[in-house]
Amino acid sequence: MASVGAVKLSFCFVLWLSNILSSCQGKENFYENQYPFIRRASSFSSSSSSSSSGGDNVYDYIIVGGGTAGCPLAATLSQNFSVLLLERGGVPFSNSNVSLLQNFHIALADTSPTSVSQFFISTDGVLNARARVLGGGTCINAGFYTRANARFIKRRGWDAKLVNESYPWVEKQIVHRPKLAPLQRAVRDSLLDIGVSPFNGFTYDHIYGTKIGGTIFDRFGRRHTAAELLSSGNPRKLTVLIHASVQKIVFDTTGKQPKAVGVIFKDENGNQHQAVLVNKAKSEIILSCGAIGTPQMLLLSGIGPKADLKKLNIPVVLNNKFVGKGMADNPMNTIFVPYNRPVEQSLIQTVGITKKGVYIEASSGFGQSNDSIHCHHGIVSAEIGQLSTIPPKQRTPEAVQEYIKNKRNLPHEAFKGGFILEKIANPLSTGELNLINTNVDDNPSVTFNYFKHPYDLQRCVDGIRMATKIAQSEHVTNFTRCNKETVDKILNMSVEASVNLIPRHTNDTKSMEQFCKDTVITIWHYHGGCHVGKVVNPEYKVLGVHRLRIVDGSTFSESPGTNPQATVMMMGRYMAVKILRERLGRAAGI
């Protein structure tokens, strides 16, 4: 009887959740009881913001970017100080494409101006996405949660005790233990068979071997994002403005060093506002716009290479040649796994952490819903016959759009399959970010230079060989009910299933190196552009200016762990506690 009751309760919850999500689709006000401090940007009045001595619109901290780091940062700082959090996107709570696991890929496929995912293509020809919603990347990622290794924490110079207090603060609120999907079990067993051992069970820790990690999807398939961490904030001291697109930071340049005094932002109606810091030395503007948005914001505000700024007629506040440099993305390549059975959606749960600097993961079920066949899936696509039928020189953005339009004619069988994902850790190949224009809504130009360094390419070859062995393993073929295929056939299928704008070569399935170059895609783990020692100091304060700090992955020289979201959220909490303790001592009460 107890089990029957549990089933009924689960069924009722799913019905309730579906009704809530469907009734709230397109509405952004049902969350106001739980988050009364979230308002539209147009509600902001600039009338009292001209004075830096006090007033309703003067703040101790102004945080630009309500994403993975910005939300925990704002919630924690608001315990003791007034905080304004400015987010250019809307809320995730009423968007079923964010909230439901089954719609994971649809949010990424939405390229409209109001999408939670802002589509961009690096100059390398790789399709990518950056978040445009409260909660940031936690709203559009695959949900996998795993901590950084101890070496990463040590290299950052972080206090290990405070780090180990900050991770659980996040985990208690939004992280769950996954119910292991059949594909994830098959990949787990295959990883162990090919020597990625030992099996470390379920753990958040980054340990060599095979493990099961956490997830921000609960057992009902509902996503929990960094936006929910705002519920830990002090509603009397916290203001969150959505659809607030910050145009630039305002500086006082009359002193020896420029001093950040406020920001100018645009609301959803296109009207401009100015928010101002209180006139106290320790008050700060903190950029948490992510690895693309933060260097872009510095450049738009006049901090960056002098010559580049002058080309766009941006007044130079500080000449710093390192802003936007050292950009890196962890290259990912995939091996397609055909199914001869119904496909169950499965995002990342199992991971193999190898000593070769390669991480192995798996996913399935992209493109399974009725809606998705009308979308393009950009990052990871299960469509066999994608763009490989188009000659390389004709594989243009226009050709992609034409493909998207014609895709509805594809047979549904083309969507049946999964992927073994192979990601390179700590790539040595780096690139740069540059402004195209002065419109903050437009993407900057980003180059990652995938596989420019030969060591990265060699690790990819090692990873593809491992991923191919997994696709051929008995555990996987018994699960998919497919015959064991040759390496050549697996690579040929995988080439056809990969989506990017990189010209294919005739030898891309004969040479593992060429396969890596031709089929590289992203796993959204880009970082850099504002490195410690070059753009910020070890406390993440921007060098050469007062009252400006950066707290996000743009300061990283490597992506933490196998997947970075855990550490970026932890960083938001960690830095806020550190700031409060340094400013208030024991009175911080954290």
Side-chain angles (χ1 to χ4, degrees), residues 486-554:
T486 64
V487 171
D488 280 352
K489 184 166 184 180
I490 289 173
L491 293 181
N492 274 308
M493 287 190 296
S494 301
V495 165
E496 292 175 350
S498 181
V499 181
N500 60 35
L501 301 182
I502 298 172
R504 301 290 192 266
H505 295 78
T506 55
N507 65 335
D508 56 10
T509 59
K510 299 298 181 183
S511 160
M512 287 281 191
E513 288 82 1
Q514 197 63 56
F515 176 88
C516 286
K517 291 178 181 179
D518 284 2
T519 65
V520 63
I521 56 176
T522 185
I523 195 170
W524 316 291
H525 296 170
Y526 43 80
H527 51 279
C530 298
H531 287 154
V532 175
K534 295 181 178 180
V535 178
V536 297
N537 69 14
E539 300 301 316
Y540 304 103
K541 294 180 180 181
V542 176
L543 296 167
V545 299
H546 293 303
R547 305 206 307 176
L548 181 60
R549 197 186 299 245
I550 296 173
V551 178
D552 62 26
S554 69

Side-chain angles (χ1 to χ4, degrees), residues 85-160:
L85 177 63
L86 298 169
E87 167 53 45
R88 66 184 183 137
V91 295
F93 311 116
S94 59
N95 190 329
S96 61
N97 288 342
V98 170
S99 300
L100 298 181
L101 182 148
Q102 68 190 45
N103 292 341
F104 159 67
H105 59 286
I106 297 179
L108 292 170
D110 182 1
T111 58
S112 69
T114 58
S115 171
V116 298
S117 172
Q118 183 174 357
F119 176 71
F120 75 95
I121 305 174
S122 70
T123 64
D124 314 276
V126 172
L127 284 64
N128 215 317
R130 50 192 291 219
R132 183 167 47 195
V133 60
L134 190 67
T138 63
C139 298
I140 64 172
N141 65 20
F144 192 65
Y145 182 97
T146 179
R147 298 180 180 185
N149 61 23
R151 186 183 60 185
F152 178 90
I153 302 302
K154 186 176 182 179
R155 277 206 293 259
R156 303 299 294 178
W158 287 345
D159 178 343

Side-chain angles (χ1 to χ4, degrees), residues 57-103:
N57 292 336
V58 178
Y59 302 90
D60 294 301
Y61 293 96
I62 298 173
I63 300 172
V64 183
T68 309
C71 287
L73 180 70
T76 304
L77 288 176
S78 73
Q79 297 301 318
N80 297 90
F81 292 98
S82 62
V83 176
L84 174 65
L85 177 63
L86 298 169
E87 167 53 45
R88 66 184 183 137
V91 295
F93 311 116
S94 59
N95 190 329
S96 61
N97 288 342
V98 170
S99 300
L100 298 181
L101 182 148
Q102 68 190 45
N103 292 341

Side-chain angles (χ1 to χ4, degrees), residues 343-366:
V343 181
E344 177 183 339
Q345 186 161 30
S346 165
L347 298 183
I348 299 164
Q349 297 174 333
T350 297
V351 63
I353 301 172
T354 76
K355 293 185 178 181
K356 292 184 176 182
V358 173
Y359 303 141
I360 304 292
E361 301 171 341
S363 65
S364 65
F366 293 94

Side-chain angles (χ1 to χ4, degrees), residues 271-293:
N271 298 318
Q272 285 199 341
H273 306 268
Q274 182 168 343
V276 178
L277 283 176
V278 69
N279 191 18
K280 294 180 181 177
K282 292 190 176 180
S283 294
E284 292 179 321
I285 292 170
I286 304 177
L287 297 182
S288 295
C289 311
I292 306 297

Side-chain angles (χ1 to χ4, degrees), residues 148-461:
N149 61 23
R151 186 183 60 185
F152 178 90
I153 302 302
K154 186 176 182 179
R155 277 206 293 259
R156 303 299 294 178
W158 287 345
D159 178 343
K161 183 175 183 294
L162 181 54
V163 165
N164 290 329
E165 292 170 356
S166 300
Y167 273 123
W169 182 86
V170 173
E171 291 153 8
K172 289 174 183 176
Q173 298 183 72
I174 65 169
V175 186
H176 304 267
R177 180 170 182 166
K179 178 184 177 183
L180 206 58
L183 172 64
Q184 302 293 329
R185 286 198 294 269
V187 170
R188 173 199 63 191
D189 295 340
S190 299
L191 281 165
L192 295 172
D193 279 356
I194 67 170
V196 185
S197 58
F199 179 55
N200 295 307
F202 170 74
T203 179
Y204 296 143
D205 293 335
H206 185 94
I207 313 170
Y208 287 122
T210 296
K211 74 165 196 172
I212 310 301
T215 178
I216 56 174
F217 288 101
D218 64 24
R219 63 194 181 100
F220 299 106
R222 178 175 175 268
R223 182 192 294 270
H224 297 266
T225 75
E228 294 177 35
L229 300 175
L230 290 169
S231 61
S232 296
N234 181 347
R236 295 182 299 279
K237 292 182 177 292
L238 177 59
T239 301
V240 178
L241 296 183
I242 54 174
H243 305 299
S245 182
V246 175
Q247 309 295 293
K248 66 177 182 178
I249 305 161
V250 179
F251 293 95
D252 176 358
T253 57
T254 59
K256 290 183 178 180
Q257 284 192 339
K259 179 175 69 173
V261 296
V263 298
I264 293 174
F265 67 92
K266 183 174 62 177
D267 67 25
E268 70 274 15
N269 299 320
N271 298 318
Q272 285 199 341
H273 306 268
Q274 182 168 343
V276 178
L277 283 176
V278 69
N279 191 18
K280 294 180 181 177
K282 292 190 176 180
S283 294
E284 292 179 321
I285 292 170
I286 304 177
L287 297 182
S288 295
C289 311
I292 306 297
T294 289
Q296 179 187 25
M297 184 57 58
L298 286 181
L299 293 168
L300 290 172
S301 303
I303 298 178
K306 184 177 181 179
D308 293 348
L309 298 176
K310 285 192 169 184
K311 286 178 185 176
L312 292 172
N313 295 318
I314 299 173
V316 179
V317 173
L318 180 73
N319 178 26
N320 186 326
K321 65 180 181 180
F322 296 112
V323 175
K325 302 301 187 285
M327 296 291 298
D329 187 22
N330 296 77
M332 182 171 76
N333 295 78
T334 63
I335 292 299
F336 181 72
V337 180
Y339 279 43
N340 196 19
R341 60 178 296 161
V343 181
E344 177 183 339
Q345 186 161 30
S346 165
L347 298 183
I348 299 164
Q349 297 174 333
T350 297
V351 63
I353 301 172
T354 76
K355 293 185 178 181
K356 292 184 176 182
V358 173
Y359 303 141
I360 304 292
E361 301 171 341
S363 65
S364 65
F366 293 94
Q368 296 310 305
S369 74
N370 291 330
D371 291 335
S372 71
I373 199 166
H374 302 297
C375 303
H376 92 92
H377 303 116
I379 313 297
V380 178
S381 179
E383 299 94 315
I384 297 300
Q386 187 63 260
L387 295 174
S388 58
T389 58
I390 302 175
K393 291 183 179 179
Q394 299 174 31
R395 204 172 290 133
T396 63
E398 291 76 19
V400 175
Q401 293 303 315
E402 184 66 20
Y403 177 82
I404 294 167
K405 190 166 69 174
N406 295 331
K407 182 176 146 185
R408 65 192 65 193
N409 299 321
L410 282 176
H412 189 265
E413 288 73 23
F415 291 76
K416 295 184 67 175
F419 290 92
I420 309 300
L421 316 176
E422 172 272 329
K423 167 192 165 181
I424 302 302
N426 309 330
L428 299 178
S429 307
T430 61
E432 62 181 10
L433 176 150
N434 298 285
L435 294 181
I436 296 174
N437 57 39
T438 57
N439 185 351
V440 71
D441 297 324
D442 291 343
N443 290 310
S445 169
V446 186
T447 302
F448 294 117
N449 288 323
Y450 298 103
F451 302 127
K452 184 177 181 180
H453 196 287
Y455 182 55
D456 294 342
L457 188 59
Q458 182 55 53
R459 285 186 292 167
C460 177
V461 170

